[in-house]
Amino acid sequence: MDQAPTQRVWTGRDMVILVPTLNRPQKLRELLESIAVQTETIGRVIIVDGAEDAEPVVELFQSSLPLEYSQCHPPGQIRQRNHGLSQLREAGDYLVALLDDDIVLGLTAVEEMIAFWNHAPKDTAGVAFNIVNGEPERYTRLKGLLG
């Protein structure tokens, strides 16, 4: 009787968080603070700076997070994400989280995402975090008509 191959068990160390940033050092700091206190330890955090103001913030977290910093000029969110993804050249399996620099993760966000991946069907290609602390959008008639 053939045994089915066992499904990979992911941990936080298998996760790479990739953050393009541009001229929002305080927002980046808040994001990095939320990553530093996660209940799961992250494998890598890649910051791709489209300006030149994120490096001092990154330096504040060098001792508490596995940070990698680079600059990308000219800036552009897609260009910066592609630049960050190019840092993943070595072979291996990763869970890559693409986060904007103004996101703040809940304390167990990574733990919950890892738990999801450990029970997800093998053909799952991607998932997303829910943003639960964003400011509510103002209702307008036009938005109501458009759904």
Side-chain angles (χ1 to χ4, degrees):
M1 174 194 252
D2 289 332
Q3 288 186 335
T6 58
Q7 185 168 344
R8 162 116 191 223
V9 176
W10 299 99
T11 70
R13 295 195 185 279
D14 299 314
M15 182 174 279
V16 177
I17 294 179
L18 172 57
V19 183
T21 187
L22 180 66
N23 296 324
R24 296 200 288 193
Q26 183 56 38
K27 293 290 186 184
L28 178 62
R29 181 181 184 145
E30 293 169 9
L31 169 60
L32 293 177
E33 286 171 350
S34 75
I35 294 171
V37 297
Q38 287 297 299
T39 55
E40 278 277 340
T41 303
I42 301 296
R44 292 167 74 181
V45 180
I46 300 172
I47 307 297
V48 182
D49 191 0
E52 295 180 7
D53 59 357
E55 191 167 16
V57 175
V58 171
E59 288 174 359
L60 293 173
F61 293 89
Q62 285 291 356
S63 63
S64 59
L65 290 171
L67 284 166
E68 300 170 31
Y69 172 82
S70 63
Q71 293 181 350
C72 178
H73 300 287
Q77 193 171 69
I78 294 171
R79 181 178 286 117
Q80 287 171 251
R81 283 191 174 152
N82 287 340
H83 178 83
L85 289 170
S86 74
Q87 308 298 311
L88 302 176
R89 286 185 218 141
E90 67 269 2
D93 292 333
Y94 307 100
L95 296 175
V96 179
L98 304 172
L99 298 181
D100 291 338
D101 58 4
D102 63 345
I103 297 295
V104 174
L105 297 176
L107 182 63
T108 61
V110 172
E111 179 181 345
E112 292 174 33
M113 183 61 74
I114 297 298
F116 172 85
W117 276 109
N118 282 329
H119 294 95
K122 283 187 167 232
D123 60 351
T124 303
V127 296
F129 288 107
N130 285 334
I131 298 176
V132 297
N133 63 343
E135 294 196 20
E137 287 192 36
R138 200 175 119 239
Y139 177 83
T140 66
R141 274 194 191 153
L142 179 60
K143 287 181 182 177
L145 290 171
L146 297 174

